[in-house]
């Protein structure tokens, strides 16, 4: 039978390709046989030598398959003959080889996520990305308008045993549950609420309903967060919705500015009002106290006047002159018995000057 230049392929009588073993594999097998012949004693029959070699290979395979390592963010569920046996924490562990014990790793401390309507490049989880993102995002709101909703569900595996054995394909089931709940929640609201002001309320309600269904179905999953991403109207009306959204944002901005101005002016006016009220109260108390003091002084003076009218009258006269005379610049004192007015010395001039 003809062979090609490499000696790796040949054609049989029915012209079918027969692949030969490469020379490198032959060399490896030859070295393995030589080492095995060195371990086995000489003089044994070929059947016994083959049985001993198979036993050694079987023991090596059993030793190699009897241990396993569990990462720090995972636990291992051990099945013995397919039945649940134990839940193993992180670290190095041993099991019965030859497929009797099977260990399945479950990442219980890792936060997993599922994306709806979009795909993150490089995702390793086949259930993270949507198979038909366009169909998942198309929803009908409560006022019979259409909207394209994209969201993310972040979850953890809280009960590994339920996650593996209670529900077939729990990750796929979670996608169906998430889509059903989101359609229900969006369908209870108007399109304006979905696009603008109702996002946080939708996220909270969807989280509660998804967790309730995951607990009801015994999926072993704990949902951490539901986060809405892009929410857009259909393409034919997207421009009009964007204008409405911008107007709504402008309205909110103006309202916030008015509230900020209100919060700045009103407290200042309240402070000025309180200050004026306190000043008026102080002036009122001062006037009352002054009037009461004047009345008390007049009463005391009247009492003294009734006891000694002449003395009191003269004392009042002298006290009045003491208050009035210091404010008069030029003073001329004339005796009542003077017959005529004589030239008087100018007392306002400086010392040393003549009149």
């Amino acid at each position: 039978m003809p062979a090609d230049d490499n000696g790796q392929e040949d054609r049989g009588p029915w012209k079918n390709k027969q692949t030969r073993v490469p020379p490198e594999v032959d060399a490896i097998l030859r070295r393995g046989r030589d080492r095995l012949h060195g371990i086995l004693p000489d003089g044994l029959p070929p059947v016994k030598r083959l049985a001993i070699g198979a036993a050694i290979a079987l023991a090596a395979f059993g030793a190699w398959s009897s241990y396993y390592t569990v990462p720090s963010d995972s636990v291992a569920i051990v099945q013995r003959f397919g039945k649940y046996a134990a839940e193993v924490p992180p670290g190095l562990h041993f099991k019965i080889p030859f497929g009797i014990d099977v260990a399945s790793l479950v990442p219980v401390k890792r936060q997993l996520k599922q994306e709806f309507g979009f795909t993150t490049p490089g995702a390793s989880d086949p259930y993270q990305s949507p198979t038909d993102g366009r169909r998942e995002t198309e929803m009908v709101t409560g006022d019979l308008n259409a909207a394209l909703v994209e969201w993310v569900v972040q979850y953890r595996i809280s009960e590994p045993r339920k996650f593996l054995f209670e529900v077939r394909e729990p990750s796929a089931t979670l996608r169906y549950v998430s889509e059903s709940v989101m359609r229900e929640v969006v369908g209870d609201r108007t399109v304006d609420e979905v696009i603008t002001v109702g996002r946080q309320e939708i996220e909270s309600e969807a989280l509660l309903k998804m967790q309730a269904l995951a607990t009801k179905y015994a999926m072993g999953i704990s949902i951490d967060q539901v986060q809405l991403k892009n929410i857009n109207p259909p393409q034919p009306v997207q421009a009009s919705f964007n204008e409405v959204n911008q107007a709504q944002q402008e309205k909110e901005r103006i309202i916030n500015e008015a509230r900020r101005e209100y919060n700045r002016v009103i407290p200042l006016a309240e402070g000025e009002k309180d200050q004026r009220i306190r000043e008026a109260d102080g002036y009122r108390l001062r006037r009352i106290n002054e009037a009461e003091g004047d009345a008390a002084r007049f009463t005391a003076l009247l009492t003294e006047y009734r006891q000694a009218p002449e003395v009191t009258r003269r004392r009042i006269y002298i006290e009045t002159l003491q208050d009035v005379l210091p404010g008069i610049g030029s003073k001329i004192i004339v005796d009542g018995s003077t017959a005529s007015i004589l030239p008087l010395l100018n007392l306002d001039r400086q010392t040393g000057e003549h009149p």
Side-chain angles (χ1 to χ4, degrees), residues 54-187:
I56 293 174
L58 187 62
F61 175 76
W64 176 77
S65 62
S66 64
Y67 70 92
Y68 61 98
T69 302
V70 182
S72 60
D73 62 346
S74 304
V75 296
I77 300 298
V78 179
Q79 298 172 253
R80 183 164 298 165
F81 294 110
K83 183 179 179 181
Y84 171 81
E87 180 178 322
V88 180
L92 180 63
H93 303 278
F94 295 90
K95 60 184 176 67
I96 301 176
F98 308 113
I100 298 176
D101 284 354
V102 178
S104 302
L105 299 179
V106 182
V108 294
K109 296 182 180 179
R110 189 186 309 167
Q111 189 176 64
L112 308 175
K113 69 177 181 178
Q114 291 184 353
E115 300 167 338
F116 297 83
F118 65 99
T119 303
T120 300
S124 58
D125 187 359
Y127 295 101
Q128 176 176 333
S129 302
T131 56
D132 189 358
R134 182 72 178 180
R135 182 194 61 80
E136 288 180 345
T137 59
E138 293 177 347
M139 299 184 184
V140 178
T141 60
D143 54 356
L144 301 181
N145 284 307
L148 304 178
V149 182
E150 298 178 359
W151 74 98
V152 175
V153 177
Q154 296 179 351
Y155 67 97
R156 298 177 188 271
I157 300 174
S158 57
E159 300 179 70
R161 184 175 179 180
K162 290 183 179 180
F163 183 80
L164 291 179
F165 305 123
E166 293 294 334
V167 178
R168 181 179 298 175
E169 296 184 356
S171 297
T173 304
L174 179 60
R175 292 197 67 90
Y176 299 143
V177 168
S178 301
E179 182 179 351
S180 174
V181 168
M182 189 59 66
R183 290 184 183 278
E184 177 185 355
V185 174
V186 171

Side-chain angles (χ1 to χ4, degrees), residues 104-288:
S104 302
L105 299 179
V106 182
V108 294
K109 296 182 180 179
R110 189 186 309 167
Q111 189 176 64
L112 308 175
K113 69 177 181 178
Q114 291 184 353
E115 300 167 338
F116 297 83
F118 65 99
T119 303
T120 300
S124 58
D125 187 359
Y127 295 101
Q128 176 176 333
S129 302
T131 56
D132 189 358
R134 182 72 178 180
R135 182 194 61 80
E136 288 180 345
T137 59
E138 293 177 347
M139 299 184 184
V140 178
T141 60
D143 54 356
L144 301 181
N145 284 307
L148 304 178
V149 182
E150 298 178 359
W151 74 98
V152 175
V153 177
Q154 296 179 351
Y155 67 97
R156 298 177 188 271
I157 300 174
S158 57
E159 300 179 70
R161 184 175 179 180
K162 290 183 179 180
F163 183 80
L164 291 179
F165 305 123
E166 293 294 334
V167 178
R168 181 179 298 175
E169 296 184 356
S171 297
T173 304
L174 179 60
R175 292 197 67 90
Y176 299 143
V177 168
S178 301
E179 182 179 351
S180 174
V181 168
M182 189 59 66
R183 290 184 183 278
E184 177 185 355
V185 174
V186 171
D188 291 338
R189 287 164 177 80
T190 64
V191 67
D192 293 333
E193 293 176 343
V194 174
I195 295 178
T196 56
V197 298
R199 295 172 64 97
Q200 186 174 2
E201 185 179 354
I202 291 174
E203 292 174 351
S204 301
E205 185 176 351
L207 174 62
L208 295 177
K209 290 186 176 182
M210 290 180 191
Q211 184 60 60
L213 288 177
T215 304
K216 178 181 178 181
Y217 297 155
M219 298 167 60
I221 290 175
S222 175
I223 300 176
D224 295 337
Q225 185 180 16
V226 177
Q227 184 178 6
L228 293 175
K229 292 298 185 180
N230 297 326
I231 303 177
N232 297 313
Q235 190 64 33
V237 296
Q238 188 169 0
S240 300
F241 270 89
N242 290 336
E243 293 179 359
V244 173
N245 192 15
Q246 292 177 0
Q248 184 71 23
Q249 293 176 357
E250 184 69 16
K251 169 189 171 184
E252 295 294 333
R253 184 185 64 81
I254 294 175
I255 292 175
N256 293 332
E257 290 180 354
R259 288 176 178 172
R260 183 174 63 250
E261 187 68 16
Y262 173 86
N263 293 330
R264 185 184 66 84
V265 173
I266 295 302
L268 181 61
E270 292 287 343
E272 292 180 354
K273 179 195 73 173
D274 295 338
Q275 181 182 0
R276 297 292 179 84
I277 291 174
R278 288 192 295 270
E279 290 177 355
D281 289 338
Y283 179 76
R284 177 180 61 85
L285 293 175
R286 182 173 62 84
R287 296 293 293 175
I288 291 174

